[in-house]
Amino acid sequence: MKTLPVHLPGREYDILIERGILARAGEHCRAVLPKARRLAVVSDSNVAPLYADRTLESLGAAGFDARLLTVPAGERAKSLAMLGTLYDFFMEMGLTRSDAVVALGGGVVGDLTGFAAATILRGVDFVQIPTTLLAQVDSSVGGKVAIDLPAGKNLAGAFWQPRLVLMDPAVLGTLDESTFSDGMAEVIKYGCIRDADLYAYLAQRPSRGEVTADIEHVLYRCCAIKRDIVERDERDTGERMLLNFGHTLGHAYERAGGYTRWTHGQAVAAGMVKAAELGTKLGVTPEGTAARIAVLLGCFGLPLAIDCTQEEYASAIGLDKKGSGGDISLILLEEIGRACAKKLPKADVLRLLEGEA
């Protein structure tokens, strides 16, 4: 088992990575939740039929009264209405502040469940058990939890660190190709922004089979990069912005597709290529970098460009939570493995994009 400790004063927790760890979820949860009696387990309609019984059995064997709530799969579950459903479920089962919540699923389940945990009874502990590659390498680590509002994604949220993250690489075997590739966009992002060796490692293994042959190494390296950044900037006021490489423009692509046509990973993939192109125009990113990134993304079937109007770009940039006044911090690459934040007027970014939409 690989153990990656996250050192946040007063909010420390471990990320545990091991094949088959799902069957021992109960003992690991009991170790960090010695006083909890009830566990509310939230999963979705895709994941629950595969892994809920195994998880509930393990939690029950550890002495927990564990009960399952299954929400619909997909981004639309991150809503105020579904948040209310979780609150009602927690209250009906008698959840107290000494009890806890478990998120069993991908990024949507983790975001929704984490936000519910952060806000019910002024905050209860929660455990992340991510079941998609994207959730394992990115959304389950770092404490960002949120739901969507009609105005945009993740606009109601909190920073609420989990008590434990349990990653079972074996569950990735049930992912379809699209969902696996979705996660690879975030994996490639880590290589782009912080680890040229990881990027080279992936470039030498440009297929799902080759990556999953030693997936524990990939999971550990990505989580270590995010852990290190979060420890230095938990509240996303500086260095943590680097994790948003490809995301600012990716948000525009998600909006352009009505949050249904393009997955988060697909939008980020196209956003990374576009950000590298913009970086080259600005004299920050070396020539040919966008093409290099595009080759690797293409190996995993990810889109390299997505049609987007100027109005959609403007709307997304205006809503972007990383913006400040009339400026936006655009994440650019100085080279593969090193990223920087460049503050630009939003109008200048839109002018750079003009003619490409």
Side-chain angles (χ1 to χ4, degrees), residues 204-238:
Q204 293 165 5
R205 295 163 177 80
S207 71
R208 177 174 180 169
E210 291 170 300
V211 170
T212 55
D214 191 12
I215 192 65
E216 291 88 348
H217 168 73
V218 173
L219 296 178
Y220 186 92
R221 187 64 204 128
C222 292
C223 289
I225 292 169
K226 186 164 188 181
R227 184 273 311 269
D228 292 347
I229 291 174
V230 169
E231 285 180 349
R232 291 188 291 267
D233 179 24
E234 182 183 6
R235 295 283 173 155
D236 203 8
T237 59

Side-chain angles (χ1 to χ4, degrees), residues 271-332:
M272 287 192 290
V273 175
K274 184 64 71 179
E277 292 172 351
L278 293 183
T280 300
K281 286 185 176 182
L282 290 165
V284 176
T285 306
E287 290 279 355
T289 302
R292 285 183 60 194
I293 296 171
V295 168
L296 185 53
L297 293 169
C299 290
F300 294 95
L302 290 159
L304 310 180
I306 292 175
D307 290 337
C308 190
T309 67
Q310 286 295 101
E311 290 74 19
E312 287 162 341
Y313 277 130
S315 180
I317 289 172
L319 283 171
D320 196 287
K321 298 181 294 299
K322 295 169 288 300
S324 176
D327 295 334
I328 190 166
S329 290
L330 196 61
I331 310 305
L332 305 174

Side-chain angles (χ1 to χ4, degrees), residues 42 71 74-87 90 107-119 143-159 259 321:
V42 181
V71 303
E75 185 70 27
R76 294 187 184 280
K78 285 173 54 175
S79 67
L80 282 167
M82 193 56 63
L83 180 67
T85 298
L86 266 64
Y87 288 156
F90 296 163
V108 167
V109 168
D111 284 356
L112 169 66
T113 305
F115 186 63
T119 49
K144 278 188 176 182
V145 295
I147 61 168
D148 302 337
L149 299 179
K153 282 188 64 174
N154 298 329
L155 292 180
F159 291 93
Y259 299 105
K321 298 181 294 299

